[in-house]
Coordinates of all heavy atoms in Angstrom, one line a residue:
M21 N 0.9 -1.2 0.0 CA 0.0 0.0 0.0 C 0.9 1.3 0.0 O 1.8 1.3 0.8 CB -0.9 0.0 1.2 CG -1.8 1.2 1.3 SD -2.8 1.3 2.8 CE -3.6 -0.3 2.8
K22 N 0.6 2.2 -0.8 CA 1.3 3.4 -0.9 C 1.0 4.3 0.2 O -0.2 4.4 0.7 CB 1.1 4.1 -2.2 CG 1.6 3.3 -3.4 CD 1.5 4.1 -4.7 CE 2.0 3.2 -5.8 NZ 2.9 3.7 -6.6
H23 N 2.0 5.0 0.7 CA 1.8 5.9 1.9 C 0.9 7.1 1.5 O 0.3 7.7 2.4 CB 3.1 6.5 2.3 CG 4.1 5.4 2.7 ND1 3.8 4.4 3.6 CD2 5.4 5.2 2.2 CE1 4.9 3.6 3.7 NE2 5.9 4.1 2.9
R24 N 0.8 7.4 0.2 CA 0.0 8.6 -0.2 C -1.5 8.4 0.0 O -2.2 9.3 0.2 CB 0.4 9.0 -1.6 CG 1.7 9.6 -1.8 CD 1.9 9.8 -3.3 NE 2.3 8.6 -3.9 CZ 2.3 8.3 -5.2 NH1 2.1 9.4 -6.0 NH2 2.7 7.2 -5.7
S25 N -1.9 7.2 0.1 CA -3.3 6.9 0.2 C -3.8 6.8 1.6 O -5.0 6.8 1.9 CB -3.6 5.5 -0.5 OG -3.0 4.5 0.1
W26 N -2.9 6.9 2.6 CA -3.2 6.8 4.0 C -4.1 8.0 4.5 O -5.0 7.7 5.2 CB -2.0 6.7 4.9 CG -1.3 5.3 4.7 CD1 -1.7 4.3 3.9 CD2 -0.2 4.8 5.5 NE1 -0.8 3.2 4.1 CE2 0.1 3.5 5.0 CE3 0.6 5.4 6.5 CZ2 1.1 2.8 5.6 CZ3 1.6 4.7 7.0 CH2 1.8 3.4 6.5
P27 N -3.8 9.2 4.1 CA -4.7 10.3 4.5 C -6.2 10.1 4.0 O -7.1 10.4 4.7 CB -4.1 11.5 3.9 CG -2.6 11.2 3.8 CD -2.6 9.7 3.4
V28 N -6.3 9.6 2.7 CA -7.6 9.4 2.2 C -8.4 8.2 3.0 O -9.5 8.4 3.2 CB -7.6 9.1 0.7 CG1 -9.0 8.7 0.1 CG2 -6.9 10.2 -0.1
I29 N -7.6 7.2 3.3 CA -8.2 6.1 4.0 C -8.6 6.6 5.4 O -9.7 6.3 5.9 CB -7.2 4.9 4.1 CG1 -7.0 4.3 2.7 CG2 -7.7 3.9 5.2 CD1 -5.8 3.3 2.7
G30 N -7.8 7.4 6.0 CA -8.1 8.0 7.3 C -9.3 8.9 7.3 O -10.2 8.8 8.1
L31 N -9.5 9.6 6.2 CA -10.6 10.5 6.0 C -11.9 9.7 5.8 O -12.9 10.0 6.6 CB -10.4 11.3 4.7 CG -11.5 12.3 4.4 CD1 -11.5 13.5 5.2 CD2 -11.4 12.7 2.9
V32 N -11.9 8.6 5.1 CA -13.1 7.9 4.9 C -13.5 7.1 6.1 O -14.6 7.1 6.6 CB -12.9 6.9 3.7 CG1 -14.0 5.9 3.5 CG2 -12.7 7.7 2.4
L33 N -12.5 6.5 6.8 CA -12.8 5.7 8.0 C -13.2 6.7 9.1 O -14.2 6.3 9.9 CB -11.5 5.0 8.5 CG -11.1 3.7 7.5 CD1 -9.9 3.1 8.1 CD2 -12.3 2.7 7.5
G34 N -12.7 7.8 9.2 CA -13.1 8.8 10.2 C -14.5 9.2 10.0 O -15.3 9.3 10.9
A35 N -14.8 9.5 8.7 CA -16.2 10.0 8.4 C -17.2 8.9 8.7 O -18.3 9.2 9.3 CB -16.2 10.4 6.9
V36 N -16.9 7.7 8.3 CA -17.9 6.6 8.6 C -18.0 6.4 10.1 O -19.1 6.2 10.6 CB -17.4 5.3 7.8 CG1 -18.3 4.2 8.2 CG2 -17.6 5.5 6.3
A37 N -16.9 6.2 10.8 CA -17.0 6.1 12.2 C -17.7 7.1 12.9 O -18.5 6.9 13.8 CB -15.6 5.8 12.8
G38 N -17.4 8.4 12.6 CA -18.0 9.5 13.2 C -19.5 9.6 12.9 O -20.3 9.9 13.8
G39 N -19.9 9.3 11.7 CA -21.3 9.3 11.3 C -22.1 8.2 12.1 O -23.2 8.5 12.6
L40 N -21.5 7.0 12.2 CA -22.2 5.9 13.0 C -22.2 6.3 14.4 O -23.2 6.1 15.1 CB -21.5 4.6 12.7 CG -21.6 4.0 11.3 CD1 -20.8 2.8 11.2 CD2 -23.0 3.7 11.0
W41 N -21.1 6.8 15.0 CA -21.1 7.1 16.4 C -22.2 8.3 16.7 O -22.9 8.2 17.7 CB -19.7 7.7 16.8 CG -19.6 8.1 18.2 CD1 -19.9 9.3 18.7 CD2 -19.1 7.3 19.2 NE1 -19.6 9.3 20.1 CE2 -19.1 8.0 20.4 CE3 -18.6 6.0 19.3 CZ2 -18.7 7.5 21.6 CZ3 -18.2 5.5 20.5 CH2 -18.2 6.3 21.6
G42 N -22.2 9.3 15.9 CA -23.2 10.3 16.0 C -24.7 9.9 15.9 O -25.6 10.3 16.6
W43 N -24.9 9.0 14.9 CA -26.3 8.5 14.6 C -26.7 7.6 15.8 O -27.8 7.9 16.3 CB -26.3 7.7 13.3 CG -27.6 7.3 13.0 CD1 -28.2 6.0 13.2 CD2 -28.7 8.0 12.4 NE1 -29.4 6.0 12.7 CE2 -29.8 7.1 12.2 CE3 -28.8 9.3 11.9 CZ2 -31.0 7.5 11.7 CZ3 -30.0 9.7 11.4 CH2 -31.1 8.8 11.2
F44 N -26.0 6.7 16.1 CA -26.4 5.7 17.2 C -26.2 6.3 18.6 O -26.9 5.9 19.5 CB -25.7 4.3 17.0 CG -26.1 3.6 15.8 CD1 -25.2 3.4 14.7 CD2 -27.4 3.2 15.6 CE1 -25.6 2.8 13.6 CE2 -27.8 2.5 14.5 CZ -26.9 2.4 13.5
G45 N -25.3 7.1 18.8 CA -25.0 7.7 20.1 C -26.0 8.8 20.5 O -26.1 9.1 21.7
A46 N -26.6 9.4 19.6 CA -27.6 10.5 19.9 C -28.9 10.0 20.5 O -29.6 10.8 21.1 CB -27.9 11.3 18.6
G47 N -29.2 8.7 20.4 CA -30.4 8.2 21.0 C -31.7 8.8 20.4 O -32.7 8.8 21.0
G48 N -31.6 9.1 19.1 CA -32.8 9.6 18.4 C -33.0 11.1 18.5 O -33.8 11.6 17.8
Y49 N -32.4 11.8 19.4 CA -32.6 13.2 19.6 C -31.6 14.0 18.7 O -30.4 14.0 18.9 CB -32.3 13.6 21.1 CG -32.4 15.1 21.2 CD1 -33.7 15.7 21.2 CD2 -31.3 15.9 21.5 CE1 -33.8 17.1 21.4 CE2 -31.4 17.3 21.6 CZ -32.7 17.9 21.6 OH -32.8 19.2 21.8
E50 N -32.2 14.5 17.6 CA -31.4 15.3 16.6 C -30.2 14.4 16.1 O -29.0 14.8 16.1 CB -30.8 16.6 17.2 CG -31.9 17.6 17.5 CD -31.4 18.9 18.0 OE1 -30.2 19.1 18.2 OE2 -32.2 19.8 18.3
A51 N -30.5 13.2 15.7 CA -29.5 12.2 15.3 C -28.9 12.7 14.1 O -27.6 12.5 13.9 CB -30.1 10.9 15.1
N52 N -29.6 13.3 13.1 CA -29.0 13.8 11.9 C -27.9 14.9 12.1 O -26.8 14.8 11.6 CB -30.0 14.4 10.9 CG -30.9 13.3 10.4 OD1 -30.6 12.2 10.3 ND2 -32.1 13.7 10.0
D53 N -28.2 15.8 12.9 CA -27.2 16.9 13.3 C -26.0 16.3 14.0 O -24.9 16.7 13.6 CB -27.9 17.9 14.2 CG -28.9 18.7 13.4 OD1 -28.9 18.8 12.2 OD2 -29.8 19.4 14.1
S54 N -26.3 15.4 14.9 CA -25.1 14.8 15.6 C -24.3 13.9 14.6 O -23.1 14.0 14.8 CB -25.7 13.9 16.7 OG -24.7 13.4 17.4
A55 N -24.8 13.2 13.8 CA -24.1 12.3 12.9 C -23.3 13.2 11.9 O -22.2 12.9 11.7 CB -25.0 11.4 12.1
I56 N -23.9 14.3 11.4 CA -23.1 15.2 10.5 C -21.9 15.8 11.1 O -20.9 15.8 10.6 CB -24.1 16.2 9.8 CG1 -25.1 15.5 8.9 CG2 -23.3 17.2 9.1 CD1 -26.3 16.3 8.5
G57 N -22.2 16.4 12.2 CA -21.1 17.1 13.0 C -20.0 16.2 13.4 O -18.8 16.5 13.3
T58 N -20.4 15.1 14.0 CA -19.4 14.1 14.5 C -18.6 13.5 13.3 O -17.5 13.3 13.4 CB -20.0 13.0 15.3 OG1 -20.8 13.6 16.3 CG2 -19.0 12.1 15.9
S59 N -19.3 13.2 12.3 CA -18.7 12.7 11.0 C -17.6 13.6 10.5 O -16.5 13.3 10.1 CB -19.8 12.3 10.0 OG -19.1 11.9 8.8
F60 N -18.0 14.9 10.4 CA -17.1 15.9 9.9 C -15.8 16.0 10.8 O -14.7 16.0 10.3 CB -17.7 17.3 9.9 CG -16.9 18.4 9.4 CD1 -16.5 18.5 8.1 CD2 -16.4 19.4 10.3 CE1 -15.7 19.5 7.6 CE2 -15.6 20.4 9.8 CZ -15.2 20.4 8.5
L61 N -16.0 16.1 12.2 CA -14.8 16.2 13.0 C -14.0 14.9 13.0 O -12.7 15.0 13.0 CB -15.3 16.5 14.5 CG -15.9 17.8 14.6 CD1 -16.4 18.0 16.1 CD2 -14.9 18.9 14.4
C62 N -14.6 13.8 12.9 CA -13.8 12.5 12.9 C -13.1 12.4 11.5 O -12.0 11.8 11.4 CB -14.7 11.3 13.1 SG -15.2 11.1 14.9
A63 N -13.7 12.9 10.5 CA -13.0 12.8 9.2 C -11.8 13.7 9.2 O -10.7 13.4 8.6 CB -14.0 13.4 8.1
L64 N -11.9 14.9 9.8 CA -10.7 15.8 10.0 C -9.6 15.1 10.7 O -8.4 15.1 10.4 CB -11.1 17.1 10.6 CG -11.9 18.0 9.7 CD1 -12.3 19.3 10.4 CD2 -11.1 18.4 8.4
A65 N -10.0 14.5 11.9 CA -9.1 13.8 12.7 C -8.4 12.6 12.0 O -7.2 12.4 12.0 CB -9.7 13.2 14.0
G66 N -9.2 11.9 11.2 CA -8.7 10.8 10.4 C -7.7 11.2 9.3 O -6.7 10.6 9.1
L67 N -8.1 12.3 8.7 CA -7.2 12.9 7.7 C -5.8 13.3 8.3 O -4.8 13.1 7.7 CB -7.8 14.1 7.1 CG -7.1 14.9 6.0 CD1 -6.8 14.0 4.8 CD2 -7.8 16.1 5.6
L68 N -5.9 13.9 9.5 CA -4.7 14.4 10.2 C -3.8 13.2 10.5 O -2.6 13.1 10.4 CB -5.0 15.2 11.4 CG -3.9 15.7 12.2 CD1 -3.0 16.6 11.4 CD2 -4.3 16.4 13.5
L69 N -4.5 12.1 11.1 CA -3.7 10.9 11.5 C -3.2 10.2 10.4 O -2.0 9.7 10.4 CB -4.6 10.0 12.4 CG -5.0 10.5 13.7 CD1 -6.0 9.5 14.4 CD2 -3.8 10.6 14.6
G70 N -3.9 10.2 9.3 CA -3.4 9.5 8.1 C -2.2 10.2 7.4 O -1.2 9.7 7.0
A71 N -2.2 11.6 7.5 CA -1.2 12.4 7.0 C 0.1 12.2 7.8 O 1.2 12.1 7.3 CB -1.6 13.8 6.9
V72 N -0.1 12.2 9.1 CA 1.0 12.0 10.1 C 1.6 10.6 9.8 O 2.9 10.5 9.7 CB 0.6 12.2 11.5 CG1 1.7 11.7 12.5 CG2 0.3 13.7 11.8
A73 N 0.8 9.6 9.7 CA 1.3 8.2 9.4 C 2.1 8.1 8.1 O 3.1 7.5 8.1 CB 0.2 7.3 9.5
A74 N 1.5 8.8 7.1 CA 2.2 8.7 5.8 C 3.5 9.5 5.8 O 4.5 9.0 5.3 CB 1.3 9.3 4.7
T75 N 3.6 10.6 6.5 CA 4.9 11.4 6.7 C 5.9 10.5 7.4 O 7.1 10.4 7.0 CB 4.6 12.7 7.4 OG1 3.6 13.4 6.6 CG2 5.9 13.5 7.5
V76 N 5.5 9.9 8.5 CA 6.4 9.1 9.3 C 6.9 7.9 8.5 O 8.2 7.6 8.5 CB 5.8 8.6 10.6 CG1 6.7 7.6 11.3 CG2 5.6 9.9 11.5
A77 N 6.0 7.3 7.8 CA 6.5 6.1 6.9 C 7.4 6.5 5.8 O 8.4 5.8 5.6 CB 5.2 5.4 6.4
T78 N 7.1 7.6 5.2 CA 8.0 8.1 4.1 C 9.4 8.5 4.6 O 10.4 8.2 4.0 CB 7.3 9.3 3.4 OG1 6.0 9.0 3.0 CG2 8.2 9.9 2.3
R79 N 9.4 9.1 5.8 CA 10.7 9.4 6.3 C 11.6 8.2 6.7 O 12.7 8.1 6.6 CB 10.5 10.4 7.5 CG 10.2 11.7 7.2 CD 10.1 12.7 8.4 NE 9.8 14.0 8.0 CZ 9.8 15.0 8.7 NH1 10.0 14.9 10.0 NH2 9.4 16.2 8.2
R80 N 10.8 7.2 7.2 CA 11.5 5.9 7.6 C 12.0 5.3 6.3 O 13.2 4.7 6.3 CB 10.5 5.0 8.3 CG 10.4 5.3 9.7 CD 9.5 4.2 10.4 NE 9.2 4.6 11.7 CZ 8.3 4.0 12.5 NH1 7.7 2.9 12.0 NH2 8.1 4.4 13.7
D81 N 11.3 5.3 5.3 CA 11.8 4.8 4.0 C 12.9 5.5 3.4 O 13.8 4.8 2.8 CB 10.7 4.7 2.9 CG 9.6 3.6 3.2 OD1 9.8 2.8 4.1 OD2 8.5 3.7 2.6
R82 N 12.9 6.7 3.6 CA 14.1 7.6 3.0 C 15.4 7.2 3.9 O 16.4 7.3 3.4 CB 13.8 9.0 3.1 CG 12.7 9.4 2.0 CD 12.5 10.8 2.0 NE 11.5 11.2 1.0 CZ 10.9 12.4 0.9 NH1 11.3 13.4 1.7 NH2 10.1 12.6 0.0
R83 N 15.2 7.1 5.1 CA 16.4 6.7 6.0 C 17.0 5.4 5.7 O 18.2 5.2 5.8 CB 16.0 6.8 7.5 CG 15.8 8.3 7.9 CD 15.5 8.3 9.4 NE 15.2 9.7 9.8 CZ 14.7 10.0 11.0 NH1 14.5 9.0 11.9 NH2 14.5 11.3 11.2
R84 N 16.2 4.5 5.3 CA 16.7 3.1 5.0 C 17.5 3.0 3.7 O 18.3 2.2 3.5 CB 15.5 2.2 4.9 CG 14.8 1.9 6.3 CD 13.7 0.9 6.1 NE 13.0 0.8 7.4 CZ 11.9 0.2 7.5 NH1 11.2 -0.4 6.5 NH2 11.3 0.2 8.7
H85 N 17.2 3.9 2.8 CA 17.9 3.9 1.5 C 19.0 4.8 1.4 O 19.3 5.7 1.7 CB 16.9 4.2 0.4 CG 15.7 3.2 0.3 ND1 16.0 1.8 0.2 CD2 14.4 3.3 0.3 CE1 14.8 1.2 0.1 NE2 13.9 2.1 0.2

């Protein structure tokens, strides 16, 4: 797997996990708003974590060669 795709994978997984967490965790009270907001924040967090992981992996590969 290429390191460049990790931020996108983190973005998608974060959005899905955040949407599910917000939808089921809201208990029916404004579940749509909760799912959208939580999905957005988790997508940003996933994007950030994926970018950090890709950067670290790329630096490790450059040091080995």
Side-chain angles (χ1 to χ4, degrees):
M21 181 184 307
K22 296 190 182 226
H23 305 306
R24 289 178 281 170
S25 63
W26 289 5
V28 175
I29 292 170
L31 177 77
V32 171
L33 289 178
V36 169
L40 291 174
W41 181 276
W43 181 262
F44 292 113
Y49 178 72
E50 296 182 357
N52 291 336
D53 292 341
S54 180
I56 291 168
T58 307
S59 177
F60 179 70
L61 291 176
C62 287
L64 289 177
L67 179 66
L68 179 63
L69 289 174
V72 168
T75 301
V76 169
T78 302
R79 287 188 179 182
R80 283 186 185 169
D81 286 348
R82 286 183 183 169
R83 287 183 184 171
R84 289 182 188 167
H85 297 304

